[in-house]
Amino acid sequence: MKRLGLLICCLVLFSSCRLYDRIFNGEVVARVGTHVLYEGDIDKLNITGFSPEDSARMVTQYIHSWAKNNLLLDLAQTHLSKSDRDVEKQLEEFRQQLLVFRYEKQYVEQRLDTTFTELELIEYYEKNTSSFILTLPLVKCKIIKIAQNSPYFSQIKSLYRSPKEVDMLRLEELCYSSAEFYQLYPDWVTLDIVAQKVETDLRSCENILSNGSYSEISANGYSYLISITDIIDKGEIAPFEYSREKIKDIILNHRKQELISSLERNLLNDAIGSNKLIIY
């Protein structure tokens, strides 16, 4: 009789759990082993603004990913030894490292000086020129992409070589109305950016530009007209203006490291001075 009563209690409890899941989590969407995925889990993805086909595909991808993760988890729990399954120590170490990292990040953000003087930047640049050796050429240039059957093709091809201001203004007018794009780089850029714009590889771009200040690349009925106004070869020192943002990043990183090192030194010295740290 007692066993019957216990069985009835278990059935009621099981039914209650299933009812709770259906009410608060929705219908079952997928099941793999003992793992269950509910409608509520899918709703948390917040898939909105997509077509029904795209939404269905995203849900299917999520279900497959969920299933694979749980299958792998079951496999790991089955085949790993008890000691290998015990990850409490690693989790605690990770928790401690994460807390320290977050505190150090907060500490640095509250104290970091992000201002720079021009003299400070120049001094760093002049003392560390070996850190600014170019691995790619730098150029200042303009790039024009235009259809070869354009009625303005010949005129633009002639004008883009002219250094006269009146011709430059006319070129801009024509490019605005008839070119696929007209890109001006008055500041230094690496040659790979130019290669990407003219849809060629870096080596081909280097070979083309070595022929002179004006180059033309033709492909698929279009011409890329490239005018190089200045160039610095790889292996040379990058100019200060180009290196300015990199210098700021380097100095900021030095300041961050110094703040953290100072924090660690002060903590250690205070602990020793107050006998909080006792070394036997």
Side-chain angles (χ1 to χ4, degrees), residues 13-262:
L13 181 61
F14 178 74
S15 299
S16 299
C17 289
R18 294 197 62 178
L19 180 61
Y20 176 89
D21 285 336
R22 291 189 63 180
I23 293 173
F24 292 99
N25 296 320
E27 295 293 336
V28 173
V29 174
R31 185 189 303 273
V32 56
T34 59
H35 308 284
V36 181
L37 185 68
Y38 295 96
E39 279 182 341
D41 300 316
I42 300 297
D43 292 339
K44 292 175 185 177
L45 298 177
N46 194 25
I47 300 174
T48 57
F50 298 94
S51 67
E53 294 79 10
D54 289 339
S55 297
R57 184 171 62 254
M58 294 170 69
V59 169
T60 299
Q61 289 174 347
Y62 177 79
I63 293 172
H64 287 173
S65 177
W66 170 86
K68 285 186 290 186
N69 288 338
N70 283 292
L71 287 168
L72 285 169
L73 177 61
D74 289 345
L75 198 63
Q77 290 176 336
T78 301
H79 291 277
L80 289 177
S81 65
K82 182 179 179 181
S83 60
D84 286 336
R85 292 197 306 271
D86 185 3
V87 295
E88 292 300 322
K89 181 179 178 181
Q90 289 92 329
L91 288 175
E92 177 59 22
E93 289 176 352
F94 176 73
R95 187 188 72 85
Q96 293 175 7
Q97 292 169 1
L98 182 60
L99 289 176
V100 170
F101 169 78
R102 287 182 174 178
Y103 175 74
E104 288 181 343
K105 184 174 181 290
Q106 180 188 80
Y107 181 89
V108 167
E109 287 175 348
Q110 293 173 346
R111 293 162 177 79
L112 182 63
D113 179 10
T114 59
T115 61
F116 304 91
T117 65
E118 191 72 3
L119 180 60
E120 183 179 17
L121 298 177
I122 293 173
E123 285 182 346
Y124 185 90
Y125 174 77
E126 292 178 344
K127 290 178 180 178
N128 300 275
T129 52
S130 60
S131 300
F132 303 101
I133 302 299
L134 292 171
T135 57
L136 289 172
L138 291 180
V139 296
K140 293 181 179 180
C141 66
K142 59 175 174 279
I143 305 171
I144 304 166
K145 180 182 180 182
I146 185 168
Q148 293 170 343
N149 60 3
S150 169
Y152 301 102
F153 177 71
S154 297
Q155 191 174 357
I156 287 176
K157 189 173 178 180
S158 175
L159 287 172
Y160 97 102
R161 292 174 174 265
S162 175
K164 296 179 181 179
E165 186 174 351
V166 64
D167 290 338
M168 290 293 295
L169 292 173
R170 178 58 178 159
L171 177 66
E172 289 182 10
E173 292 176 359
L174 291 175
C175 287
Y176 180 78
S177 62
S178 59
E180 283 289 313
F181 70 75
Y182 172 55
Q183 188 75 54
L184 184 65
Y185 292 103
D187 299 319
W188 294 109
V189 294
T190 50
L191 192 60
D192 60 329
I193 294 177
V194 178
Q196 184 179 15
K197 280 291 182 181
V198 300
E199 300 182 72
T200 188
D201 60 89
L202 182 61
R203 179 62 61 84
S204 298
C205 197
E206 287 178 328
N207 293 336
I208 292 167
L209 297 183
S210 65
N211 295 329
S213 300
Y214 302 98
S215 302
E216 179 180 353
I217 301 175
S218 299
N220 301 321
Y222 287 92
S223 281
Y224 294 91
L225 307 176
I226 310 166
S227 172
I228 303 295
T229 57
D230 206 351
I231 185 168
I232 302 176
D233 290 327
K234 63 181 178 182
E236 296 186 19
I237 298 172
F240 170 74
E241 284 303 320
Y242 176 78
S243 306
R244 179 187 294 272
E245 294 306 314
K246 180 180 178 181
I247 295 170
K248 288 181 180 180
D249 288 340
I250 293 172
I251 294 176
L252 276 179
N253 284 330
H254 286 171
R255 291 176 182 177
K256 290 176 183 178
Q257 290 302 317
E258 180 53 37
L259 280 171
I260 293 174
S261 297
S262 176

